[in-house]
Amino acid sequence: LRGFPACSAAGMSGLSPSTLLDFASSTSTDGASAAADVVNLVANGDVPECVQPFLFGARLLALLKKDGGLRPIACGDVFRRCAGKWVVRCLSPQLGPELMPNQVGVGLPNGADVAVQCVRLFVREASAAFAPERMVVVTVDVRNAFNTMSRTAILAAVNAKLPDLLG
């Protein structure tokens, strides 16, 4: 819970991460135990079907863009988000080798920081060989790959390489 930004919005349950952290940090251990029980139910896939739309759904908010348009933002429930973080933390050692070298931020402590430092080193070394004023470093996210992938193909790959993730 401490890993969420302080301003994280609430999901369908109406609980924000900061509210749940206050609840779980109370003097009574019952709050933390109850929150952990719900997160464990979610992580184990044991959520009753009638509750699933609330825990696995999201509140959709419309934020204004600079150009006057709207940006839809989905706020998932804090219990599902906590369970997801926990599962990824537990499976990171298995996920990292499967995602390398294209995804360096999983399974490797400070992997994204290492990638940034490698780019900085490259620029520093290259600037010795080339005129620095003629160098440009560009990062481009041409498209959101997750939204263009077949969910069936993703599940098949997870099932083949990391079946524990599907439980």
Side-chain angles (χ1 to χ4, degrees):
L1 287 170
R2 288 182 186 92
F4 287 101
C7 60
S8 290
M12 299 288 284
S13 69
L15 293 172
S16 68
S18 61
T19 302
L20 190 58
L21 182 60
D22 289 344
F23 176 68
S25 300
S26 67
T27 55
S28 167
T29 59
D30 292 341
S33 179
D37 287 346
V38 175
V39 169
N40 284 328
L41 284 172
V42 173
N44 291 326
D46 294 331
V47 176
E49 197 170 320
C50 63
V51 179
Q52 289 177 8
F54 301 101
L55 286 181
F56 301 125
R59 289 177 40 187
L60 191 60
L61 303 173
L63 301 180
L64 289 176
K65 291 182 176 182
K66 290 179 184 177
D67 65 4
L70 295 176
R71 177 184 316 276
I73 302 292
C75 298
D77 193 79
V78 67
F79 291 110
R80 190 227 11 108
R81 292 162 60 197
C82 282
K85 283 178 173 261
W86 180 250
V87 168
V88 168
R89 179 177 285 173
C90 291
L91 294 178
S92 273
Q94 295 169 336
L95 288 171
E98 293 297 332
L99 298 173
M100 291 285 192
N102 298 320
Q103 176 62 272
V104 296
V106 177
L108 179 65
N110 303 315
D113 292 336
V114 170
V116 168
Q117 294 303 324
C118 287
V119 171
R120 284 185 180 158
L121 179 62
F122 172 76
V123 169
R124 192 176 311 125
E125 295 295 321
S127 67
F130 302 102
E133 65 274 4
R134 298 191 57 146
M135 289 183 53
V136 176
V137 175
V138 178
T139 62
V140 179
D141 187 4
V142 177
R143 61 185 173 165
N144 182 336
F146 183 78
N147 290 332
T148 61
M149 296 290 299
S150 160
R151 302 301 192 263
T152 305
I154 292 171
L155 287 173
V158 169
N159 189 44
K161 299 196 176 261
L162 297 164
D164 290 345
L165 191 58
L166 295 178

